[in-house]
Amino acid sequence: MARYELVKRSVALITLTNPPVNSLSSAVRHGIAKTMDRALSDPKVTAVVICGENGRFCGGADIREFSGPMRGPPLLPLLDSIEAGEKPVVAAIEGVALGGGLELALVCHYRIAHSKARLGLPEVTLGLLPAAGGTQRLPRLIGIPAALELITTGRHVSSQEALKLGIVDQVTEQNVCEVAVEFALRAVAKPLSSRRLSALTVPCPPDLDALLEAVTMQIQKKARGMMAPLACVQAVRAAATMPYSQGIKRESELMATLFNSGQARALQYCFFAERTAGKWTLPSGAQWNDTKPREIRSAAVIGLGTMGRGIAVSLARVGISVIAVESDKKLMETGRQMVIGMLERDAKRRGVSASLNLLKFTLSLQNLKDVDLVIEAVFEDMALKKRVFQELSKVCRPTTLLCSNTSGLDVDALAGVTDRPQLVIGMHFFSPAHVMKLLEVVCGPRSSSETIATAMSLGKRMGKVSVAVGNCPGFVGNRMLKPYSDQATFLLEEGATPEQIDKVLEDFGFAMGVFRMSDLAGLDVGWRVRKESGLTGPDVDPKNPPRRRQGRKYCPIPDMVCEQGRFGQKTGRGWYMYDKPGGTNAKPDPLIQNLLETYRSRYGIKPRNITDQEIIERCLFALANEGFRILEDGIAARPEDIDVIYQFGYGFPRHRGGPMFYASMVGLERVLERLEHYHQAHPDVSHLEPSPLLKKLVACGSPPIQKWREHIKTMHSHL
Ligand SMILES: CCCCCC/C=C/CC(=O)SCCNC(=O)CCNC(=O)[C@H](O)C(C)(C)COP(=O)(O)OP(=O)(O)OC[C@H]1O[C@@H](n2cnc3c(N)ncnc32)[C@H](O)[C@@H]1OP(=O)(O)O
């Protein structure tokens, strides 16, 4: 786990060997301790170089070990002993030096980085802080303001930025180990005391309190409810105000609190969930690592509305040539201006030139003959989409993949009108598509494994977190949204207000409460879908009992809001009022209060006081309950996929893990008991009825989330 060689007769070269990222597992720590002892005690050795195998210095502590008992030598004393040694130690940083990896580099007396290396202390993103001296050494090296920024955000820096900040001593484009060995030989006779960071005094800014206060406020705004960034501020404060030995004690105390917190567990779960999500498998046995994706060089996007524009930008900025199609000249010109503007702004932000030459605009599908892939992003109307797919089937060469950006319609029905159902798949982007990181890849029963692999790989190329899901109304994300938002509107009937519900959900950590999110998305979209499915509008039988549709409880309040022309932010009025159409500053609207009061009195509903706990339980347990049904139905392969979808597509707080992880943290037994309780109170609300899988898991003793799959029958897998 750490290889030892003597090079140039007097330099001990220690290579960390723990693929893929040379994480500091107990065996690696043991290896470092052993090889360092050997180097320090061998009189032939005058200097040491530490590097990592396979072009990666070190990705930090082995995160998988955090869930088990601590084994092997603890990192902190090991690192302290390297720094205290009497022979110069040089870190040769290639690839990454992250977390414990950078802390290891910080105890080396010198640091040489390859020009392509990235460095950082990302522990905060895992709900932790750099607890092997990182919060004490980095401020001593680069000063409080810069260290505070890096430690509280977990941002990775390039080696060039690291050089500017003073984190590394030299950046090279050559073989970093060879450069480090030469550097080490030159360092042999030099004194080491000024190179031991723990012995330095911290350059303390005069306005320390004001700085810490400003950073704390920024964190409270941006990372609402998260413990780790605030603990990082406290640890850096300790570096500024205490001697090293006391600062280290404070760092360890803060780490102990974080380490055992649910937030750290959730964030570490998210780290692995995100990496698991790309690993799809089909019941046929085909899977992510044995199916080659097709290469995509050219694509077409049909429809230049908000979604189509974002998709076109996402494709062009990764070098794919795009033909964008609109149905009339005016719409095409508006779309052209918007796409060009978005690409130019994006390129400016990234410091690259905008790839405008990759874009073409047309009014005719006939121009799509030769593209590798088409993404249809027209209005959410099945008849219209079918017409487009029929036409594409005639126009495009037989090998062109046909994808739909539908947010919930039947992908197989679209496949059915083409001559190539195996090449049809859903690519459900989230708005705005060039910003949002989620992509649901919707696999129809006839989508081939090559088609799935190509859509997944294209998503990755566009920088998306892609999750393969099965084909059912709403797929995973929007299917689960229904019970969640239904509960919110039922709570309005019973006495809550939009702002009360939103506040509870935002305090829980959601980026936006359900009503603010609907105002942003536009209320008319859901209204049209409800009209089309006969839930509201002129087609509803007048004899239909009020507040019941299609045999279920129904809340018409969202329809009443739309009937008043209130479609959300774009009309300046929705669940809230805004300063102007397009405004974003949501204020409670007395007209909505009136509407709710009138509604309740019309139906004889006596408003009651609704607690925050009831809001959380009814909205979030209904959400997770639908997630259990989705797992049962084989629409998602594992709970991690659902959680990734909710974090990246719906603003679910990452430090809570996602709806399924949250349910597991609350305790499945408790979730079941509360759902039973609410279902008893609302027997006509079917999504409050506990799902069979939830009951089964509880009956099996509530296994940990990683084991749920063993209890799910894959017989009905839609993947
Ligand atoms: C009381 C305890 C005291 C402890 C004191 C010391 C504390 C130290 C804290 C830490 O060091 S926490 C860890 C900090 N490091 C990180 O957060 C880095 C995490 N990794 C990454 O960001 C990326 O993996 C990467 C290193 C930038 C590489 O990215 P790339 O896209 O190339 O590959 P991935 O697909 O992300 O990863 C490949 C593979 O490796 C697994 N992995 C990566 N890092 C770790 C790690 N630190 N520990 C364990 N496993 C890691 C990753 O899960 C992938 O494997 P999989 O099987 O495909 O999931």
Side-chain angles (χ1 to χ4, degrees):
M1 289 290 164
R3 203 171 50 234
Y4 185 91
E5 289 159 81
L6 191 65
V7 296
K8 300 268 176 172
R9 296 187 181 177
S10 65
V11 179
L13 179 64
I14 297 175
T15 309
L16 312 185
T17 57
N18 185 19
V21 301
N22 298 320
S23 63
L24 296 166
S25 64
S26 60
V28 171
R29 296 198 304 275
H30 188 72
I32 297 173
K34 222 170 99 187
T35 48
M36 274 307 296
D37 275 354
R38 186 170 162 191
L40 295 179
S41 59
D42 183 345
K44 284 197 295 302
V45 173
T46 56
V48 183
V49 169
I50 302 181
C51 64
E53 199 172 50
N54 290 335
R56 279 175 163 167
F57 179 71
C58 176
D62 185 338
I63 305 166
R64 287 188 201 276
E65 283 188 357
F66 290 167
S67 53
M70 174 82 182
R71 289 204 188 89
L75 193 57
L76 185 58
L78 172 64
L79 298 191
D80 281 344
S81 73
I82 295 174
E83 187 188 60
E86 291 302 334
K87 296 179 184 176
V89 184
V90 182
I93 302 169
E94 212 180 345
V96 287
L98 297 174
L102 181 55
E103 289 175 301
L104 169 62
L106 291 177
V107 297
C108 296
H109 306 108
Y110 301 94
R111 288 160 289 281
I112 313 290
H114 188 265
S115 54
K116 296 218 168 94
R118 285 185 296 142
L119 300 88
L121 292 173
E123 286 86 342
V124 70
T125 64
L126 299 167
L128 303 174
L129 54 73
T135 65
Q136 306 303 300
R137 284 194 176 90
L138 194 64
R140 284 173 164 77
L141 182 62
I142 64 170
I144 299 281
L148 198 56
E149 194 265 321
L150 291 189
I151 294 171
T152 55
T153 61
R155 183 169 73 87
H156 299 185
V157 296
S158 65
S159 47
Q160 290 74 16
E161 187 177 350
L163 183 67
K164 265 194 218 144
L165 287 169
I167 300 176
V168 298
D169 301 289
Q170 189 181 323
V171 174
T172 179
E173 300 214 332
Q174 286 153 24
N175 181 315
V176 71
C177 275
E178 286 170 16
V179 174
V181 168
E182 293 303 327
F183 193 101
L185 285 169
R186 290 197 299 277
V188 170
K190 295 189 181 156
L192 289 178
S193 52
S194 65
R195 309 296 310 178
R196 295 191 178 106
L197 301 183
S198 66
L200 304 183
T201 46
V202 183
C204 194
D207 53 350
L208 177 70
D209 283 338
L211 171 70
L212 297 177
E213 181 65 30
V215 173
T216 303
M217 278 170 65
Q218 216 175 342
I219 290 169
Q220 281 164 342
K221 209 165 142 203
K222 266 192 173 167
R224 199 159 4 101
M226 288 185 67
M227 293 159 60
L230 295 174
C232 289
V233 175
Q234 291 185 48
V236 174
R237 177 191 284 279
T241 55
M242 294 174 175
Y244 176 77
S245 58
Q246 281 180 38
I248 277 289
K249 235 177 109 203
R250 184 79 186 114
E251 181 189 90
S252 302
E253 286 162 7
L254 290 163
M255 176 65 158
T257 312
L258 293 178
F259 198 77
N260 296 313
S261 69
Q263 292 197 4
R265 252 173 294 167
L267 288 162
Q268 288 156 31
Y269 162 85
C270 291
F271 176 85
F272 291 112
E274 204 177 316
R275 281 157 181 80
T276 308
K279 297 176 181 165
W280 55 273
T281 312
L282 300 183
S284 65
Q287 56 181 32
W288 64 282
N289 54 358
D290 63 14
T291 312
K292 204 165 167 268
R294 284 215 207 144
E295 199 180 331
I296 300 298
R297 290 203 190 88
S298 59
V301 177
I302 304 182
L304 280 178
T306 315
M307 291 309 294
R309 290 172 207 156
I311 297 169
V313 169
S314 305
L315 290 163
R317 73 178 166 200
V318 295
I320 297 172
S321 64
V322 180
I323 305 181
V325 190
E326 248 308 347
S327 55
D328 89 40
K329 204 155 180 218
K330 197 162 162 235
L331 290 175
M332 189 181 80
E333 282 313 316
T334 312
R336 183 204 301 269
Q337 297 309 322
M338 300 290 270
V339 170
I340 289 174
M342 283 155 79
L343 257 183
E344 281 176 340
R345 280 191 297 278
D346 177 75
K348 192 169 169 204
R349 198 175 42 77
R350 294 191 295 141
V352 295
S353 53
S355 38
L356 301 182
N357 58 328
L358 292 174
L359 293 171
K360 280 195 190 122
F361 296 84
T362 176
L363 292 173
S364 167
L365 290 180
Q366 297 301 325
N367 292 330
L368 309 189
K369 270 203 283 292
D370 294 320
V371 293
D372 297 326
L373 174 140
V374 180
I375 303 177
E376 162 278 306
V378 302
F379 226 46
E380 196 68 353
D381 171 332
M382 184 50 117
L384 173 63
K385 283 184 191 282
K386 276 187 173 170
R387 279 200 301 278
V388 171
F389 271 72
Q390 266 165 345
E391 192 62 25
L392 288 172
S393 179
K394 280 188 224 148
V395 166
C396 297
R397 58 177 154 76
T399 50
T400 300
L401 260 65
L402 304 181
C403 313
S404 173
N405 175 51
T406 173
S407 57
L409 297 177
D410 183 354
V411 169
D412 196 44
L414 296 177
V417 300
T418 71
D419 59 350
R420 64 196 84 184
Q422 76 286 2
L423 298 185
V424 175
I425 196 158
M427 287 184 83
H428 177 205
F429 292 83
F430 288 70
S431 182
H434 61 303
V435 175
M436 294 290 282
K437 278 199 75 172
L438 180 66
L439 175 68
E440 278 185 324
V441 170
V442 188
C443 312
R446 291 180 274 180
S447 311
S448 73
S449 52
E450 190 193 32
T451 303
I452 298 172
T454 305
M456 292 291 283
S457 136
L458 179 60
K460 194 168 179 194
R461 188 168 158 200
M462 288 192 277
K464 308 289 177 200
V465 178
S466 310
V467 184
V469 300
N471 182 34
C472 72
F475 318 131
V476 171
N478 285 345
R479 172 169 158 181
M480 285 173 70
L481 201 57
K482 171 120 179 59
Y484 169 74
S485 51
D486 275 0
Q487 280 308 309
T489 45
F490 293 153
L491 284 162
L492 289 184
E493 289 188 329
E494 292 166 45
T497 60
E499 49 277 17
Q500 179 195 4
I501 295 173
D502 280 354
K503 180 171 185 321
V504 171
L505 294 170
E506 286 163 17
D507 286 349
F508 176 83
F510 270 96
M512 268 186 206
V514 59
F515 295 106
R516 285 216 302 140
M517 189 172 88
S518 313
D519 270 2
L520 174 68
L523 306 184
D524 49 330
V525 185
W527 191 34
R528 195 172 51 244
V529 172
R530 292 193 295 278
K531 280 195 269 193
E532 273 166 18
S533 45
L535 288 166
T536 189
D539 294 345
V540 177
D541 183 348
K543 287 196 221 96
N544 197 71
R547 301 170 60 223
R548 280 194 77 76
R549 295 287 188 282
Q550 300 168 358
R552 294 205 191 102
K553 181 170 172 177
Y554 181 79
C555 172
I557 297 174
D559 303 329
M560 293 161 66
V561 172
C562 288
E563 279 155 18
Q564 296 187 5
R566 304 178 68 113
F567 295 157
Q569 281 187 11
K570 61 185 166 193
T571 55
R573 294 281 184 277
W575 291 107
Y576 292 91
M577 59 181 182
Y578 301 85
D579 310 337
K580 54 178 191 280
T584 53
N585 187 14
K587 289 197 203 111
D589 190 340
L591 289 181
I592 291 287
Q593 309 304 328
N594 272 346
L595 183 148
L596 292 174
E597 279 161 25
T598 315
Y599 175 89
R600 290 178 197 127
S601 64
R602 184 191 314 157
Y603 293 112
I605 303 168
K606 198 163 164 250
R608 63 186 175 87
N609 189 22
I610 291 167
T611 63
D612 294 358
Q613 182 187 342
E614 179 170 352
I615 292 171
I616 287 290
E617 289 181 346
R618 283 188 45 193
C619 293
L620 296 189
F621 294 174
L623 182 72
N625 197 33
E626 193 61 26
F628 285 113
R629 290 187 205 284
I630 278 173
L631 289 171
E632 242 158 44
D633 294 350
I635 294 295
R638 47 196 162 224
E640 287 90 338
D641 290 358
I642 297 178
D643 285 338
V644 165
I645 288 172
Y646 259 78
Q647 276 164 47
F648 287 99
Y650 297 85
F652 198 98
R654 196 169 161 89
H655 63 276
R656 306 263 191 188
M660 309 317 286
F661 185 83
Y662 177 66
S664 77
M665 290 295 272
V666 170
L668 298 187
E669 220 166 313
R670 165 97 185 147
V671 175
L672 175 60
E673 182 261 306
R674 297 313 289 158
L675 280 169
E676 276 168 349
H677 165 83
Y678 291 121
H679 189 228
Q680 220 166 32
H682 306 273
D684 51 352
V685 180
S686 61
H687 58 240
L688 287 174
E689 183 179 3
S691 79
L693 177 60
L694 172 59
K695 288 186 193 159
K696 186 174 169 189
L697 290 169
V698 172
C700 296
S702 301
I705 194 163
Q706 292 80 4
K707 301 244 181 238
W708 289 3
R709 269 189 107 181
E710 294 165 19
H711 300 267
I712 303 167
K713 285 194 211 119
T714 48
M715 302 273 292
H716 306 296
S717 175
H718 289 261
L719 273 168

